[in-house]
Amino acid sequence: MPLISCNELCKEYVKGETRIRPLDRLSLEIPRGDFLALMGPSGSGKTTLLNLIAAIDSQTEGSLTIDGTDISSLSRNKLAAWRSSNIGYVFQLYNLVPVLTAYENVELPLLLHKLNRVEKHNRIMLALERVGISDRKNHFPRQLSGGQEQRVAIARAIVTDPDIIVADEPTGDLDKKSAHAVMELLQSLNQDLGKTIIMVTHDPKTTLYAKRTLHLDKGRLVKDVEAHQEEVEV
């Protein structure tokens, strides 16, 4: 049984008198432990699909089942709790709160979880150590490099120990060296911890870290390509 099952997914918006359909009857299965890269031109439906899987948007038609749960059937409160436990989101521009330290930014997702102070601290430090940024825990985002900010963002995404990590252009705002480090980190989360990762990217080099690449165009699946890990440039 796949971890994620998309069946005839459609998403439609109305803009003025125009109907826009970024996803058009897309069916897809993603097994547990996959590292999937999503590619395609602007407007092809990549981020829309990512947001549906992350449960921050909902489909117009079709069904989306994650680990046996039809997430569209959940109430708003149950969906928020489900998302907090099962999904970690990594943004291109980090989305860190500027007035909070790295430690406090990573702490944010835990506010929805009933943990005592010691449990919360241990989880935060474990996440920061996992991404190699624990020595910057008291630094504010403005005191960090772009690569360090993205590491904090990844720590925030994994602090609740979710099964699924979705990443929207995680290297889009980084230099080559920082991008390589971030992709190695995501690859490690997939290979060492078994996290299922779905990543949107425009950079073909980042797809080499994934297990396979899915190409979208006009909301439909075009092709699915197996990655060759040995081709990753180090």
Side-chain angles (χ1 to χ4, degrees), residues 173-186:
D173 200 45
L174 300 177
D175 59 57
K176 182 178 179 180
K177 182 179 179 181
S178 297
H180 174 66
V182 164
M183 289 311 304
E184 281 196 326
L185 175 56
L186 290 176

Side-chain angles (χ1 to χ4, degrees), residues 58-100:
S58 58
Q59 68 269 24
T60 307
E61 299 176 33
S63 64
L64 173 58
T65 303
I66 301 180
D67 203 14
T69 299
D70 178 359
I71 60 175
S72 64
S73 68
L74 300 177
S75 67
R76 179 175 296 182
N77 288 341
K78 287 184 177 180
L79 185 62
W82 178 90
R83 186 192 306 118
S84 177
S85 296
N86 293 277
I87 303 290
Y89 207 119
V90 179
F91 301 89
Q92 176 181 350
L93 298 179
Y94 327 130
N95 279 17
L96 301 180
V97 181
V99 297
L100 300 181

Side-chain angles (χ1 to χ4, degrees), residues 5 16 21 27 34 39 84 97 111 177 193 195 200 208 213:
S5 181
R21 181 169 280 205
S27 295
D34 200 2
M39 294 195 77
S84 177
V97 181
L111 298 179
K177 182 179 179 181
L193 300 185
K195 301 300 182 184
V200 164
L208 298 176
T213 300

Side-chain angles (χ1 to χ4, degrees), residues 93-192:
L93 298 179
Y94 327 130
N95 279 17
L96 301 180
V97 181
V99 297
L100 300 181
T101 63
Y103 183 100
E104 292 166 336
N105 269 283
V106 175
E107 183 182 20
L108 287 175
L110 296 179
L111 298 179
L112 295 176
H113 295 254
K114 295 179 179 179
L115 299 171
N116 62 42
R117 185 173 58 84
V118 174
E119 290 172 328
K120 192 178 294 185
H121 173 75
N122 289 341
R123 282 209 185 193
I124 295 167
M125 291 309 300
L126 183 63
L128 287 168
E129 288 165 8
R130 180 71 202 183
V131 302
I133 202 76
S134 59
D135 60 332
R136 298 287 190 272
K137 68 180 186 296
N138 294 322
H139 286 58
F140 292 95
R142 66 179 180 275
Q143 298 172 313
L144 303 173
S145 68
Q148 290 172 335
E149 285 189 85
Q150 192 62 293
R151 285 176 179 270
V152 173
I154 293 172
R156 181 183 58 191
I158 66 174
V159 72
T160 61
D161 194 24
D163 288 332
I164 301 167
I165 297 172
V166 294
D168 192 2
E169 295 280 1
T171 64
D173 200 45
L174 300 177
D175 59 57
K176 182 178 179 180
K177 182 179 179 181
S178 297
H180 174 66
V182 164
M183 289 311 304
E184 281 196 326
L185 175 56
L186 290 176
Q187 190 178 61
S188 173
L189 293 173
N190 173 250
Q191 294 180 348
D192 300 341

